[in-house]
Amino acid sequence: MWPFSRKGASGFSSSSTAEEVTEGVDGTGLTAIVTGASSGIGAETARVLALRGVHVVMGVIEMIDAKNVKKAILNEIPTAKIDIMELDLSSMTSIRNFVSKFTSYGISLNILINNAGICATPFTLSKDRIELQFAINYIGHFLLTNMLLDNMKRTTQESKIQGRIVNVSSVGHRLTYREGILFDKINDQSSYNSWRAYGQSKLANILHANELARRLKEEEINITVNSLHPGSTITNIYMGNRLLKGIFNLLGPFVVDKLAGFLVKNVQQGAATTCYVALHPQVSGISGKYFADNNLAEPYSHGKNMDLAKKLWDFSMSLIE
């Protein structure tokens, strides 16, 4: 029994699964892109969306793993519509190629789930010379979202169906640097702290959602943008950190099997809030908000700073030019 499973206003709790929060929801005719869908929360998100009739496009770097996920989904749901496209969020060239290829297919896009991420990795620069956690967790998704917006705007105008953009953040956004975002030291190895850099990137996910939601409201575009904390889940996001990898290799099976999710959520629970925000009718019209455990929640102070969000937006635009 999940120890803190009291239901919130939504009728769901931290122990609810992705299948439970989408029960009865018909996603037929919708198309969603899910980044990082080759394992963990992303794979479960793809499976449950497909179960609800959504055409799922998996944006992944691990193609072999993604093919195995697709095969497993089709074995369970023979009618599922699943496609795999290569996407390396550490490379702006890869992102642009992904969007160009997706656009060439003439597919409408209703839902974008920015899920992929890494956690507390040693200092590394991306292919574009940007600190890797900031690059993969945030700036890659910022560029991807920016490039897919026209498609989503056109889709919602033609279909009259509200579009949804979901940024998978983390409660770890509270671990960020004191200033929130180190704009002048993003790539500075001397000031780098792996956990604070992770928190910075996850704070950026929240600020991105808030600022984009504000802009779309001003334009009266029927697309919502929200962020969320999925819960502590043992997934591949931690595998770039040697200490965490060692701990989870040692304790993972015990935690999952013996404590039955007492300390961490299983993947089915971990994907729930993502699926809830992406599909549930209760979230219709809600934008610029932060969710946790399938309910509205409050981010930490930096996550509510709209001036910081605007500054981050301008900074991000300068990086992707």
Side-chain angles (χ1 to χ4, degrees):
M1 182 69 178
W2 186 257
F4 308 110
S5 58
R6 186 176 65 180
K7 292 181 179 178
S10 68
F12 303 112
S13 71
S14 58
S15 63
S16 300
T17 67
E19 284 197 28
E20 289 170 348
V21 302
T22 58
E23 186 175 359
V25 177
D26 184 5
T28 303
L30 302 179
T31 298
I33 290 175
V34 183
T35 68
S38 60
S39 63
I41 290 173
E44 177 66 2
T45 298
R47 183 188 74 83
V48 173
L49 263 58
L51 182 65
R52 303 308 177 207
V54 178
H55 173 198
V56 178
V57 178
M58 303 165 62
V60 300
I61 190 170
E62 300 291 347
M63 296 294 285
I64 294 176
D65 290 345
K67 289 176 182 177
N68 290 333
V69 169
K70 178 180 178 179
K71 182 178 179 181
I73 292 173
L74 289 174
N75 284 340
E76 177 191 352
I77 315 161
T79 58
K81 295 182 67 177
I82 302 281
D83 288 305
I84 301 171
M85 293 179 60
E86 187 170 5
L87 174 63
D88 179 357
L89 286 158
S90 72
S91 164
M92 294 189 195
T93 297
S94 175
I95 295 165
R96 293 189 172 98
N97 289 341
F98 173 91
V99 175
S100 178
K101 188 174 182 180
F102 180 83
T103 302
S104 72
Y105 292 150
I107 303 172
S108 297
L109 181 62
N110 306 93
I111 302 167
L112 172 61
I113 299 178
N114 293 319
N115 165 79
I118 56 175
C119 177
T121 55
F123 181 83
T124 312
L125 293 179
S126 73
K127 295 175 174 126
D128 301 297
R129 309 298 294 173
I130 299 171
E131 188 276 310
L132 196 62
Q133 292 191 84
F134 196 76
I136 292 177
N137 295 353
Y138 169 64
I139 201 67
H141 284 125
F142 180 89
L143 174 60
L144 179 68
T145 302
N146 191 59
M147 295 190 69
L148 289 169
L149 262 182
D150 283 346
N151 185 318
M152 294 195 73
K153 289 178 180 179
R154 184 172 61 253
T155 298
T156 192
Q157 289 168 353
E158 293 176 353
S159 68
K160 308 303 179 186
I161 298 173
Q162 187 174 78
R164 298 191 187 187
I165 298 172
V166 182
N167 283 358
V168 179
S169 180
S170 167
V171 71
H173 72 274
R174 65 181 175 175
L175 301 174
T176 190
Y177 300 99
R178 180 179 298 178
E179 301 89 336
I181 307 289
L182 295 184
F183 294 103
D184 297 329
K185 297 182 179 180
I186 289 292
N187 302 327
D188 180 15
Q189 186 172 1
S190 65
S191 60
Y192 180 79
N193 175 284
S194 62
W195 279 107
R196 293 198 181 279
Y198 172 72
Q200 173 179 251
S201 68
K202 289 302 179 179
L203 170 62
N205 292 145
I206 297 172
L207 296 174
H208 173 216
N210 295 350
E211 176 63 12
L212 180 55
R214 185 192 67 79
R215 289 168 177 262
L216 291 173
K217 284 178 185 176
E218 281 191 353
E219 295 179 47
E220 298 184 344
I221 301 295
N222 192 23
I223 299 173
T224 63
V225 196
N226 293 293
S227 57
L228 63 92
H229 169 52
S232 299
T233 310
I234 295 179
T235 68
N236 286 349
I237 190 174
Y238 300 108
M239 294 304 103
N241 182 285
R242 292 181 181 179
L243 175 60
L244 288 176
K245 184 176 181 180
I247 291 172
F248 287 153
N249 283 343
L250 178 63
L251 298 180
F254 174 78
V255 171
V256 174
D257 297 337
K258 302 302 182 183
L259 298 185
F262 187 85
L263 297 180
V264 296
K265 291 184 178 184
N266 59 37
V267 171
Q268 292 76 25
Q269 294 165 333
T273 305
T274 301
C275 291
Y276 173 74
V277 176
L279 279 185
H280 204 285
Q282 288 178 352
V283 188
S284 179
I286 298 176
S287 194
K289 299 298 182 181
Y290 176 75
F291 291 77
D293 296 332
N294 307 295
N295 283 275
L296 281 166
E298 286 291 321
Y300 285 79
S301 57
H302 282 310
K304 295 180 279 189
N305 187 330
M306 292 306 295
D307 290 334
L308 186 62
K310 175 64 167 60
K311 185 176 181 180
L312 175 64
W313 182 280
D314 294 341
F315 177 74
S316 303
M317 290 299 293
S318 70
L319 285 180
I320 66 173
E321 287 177 351

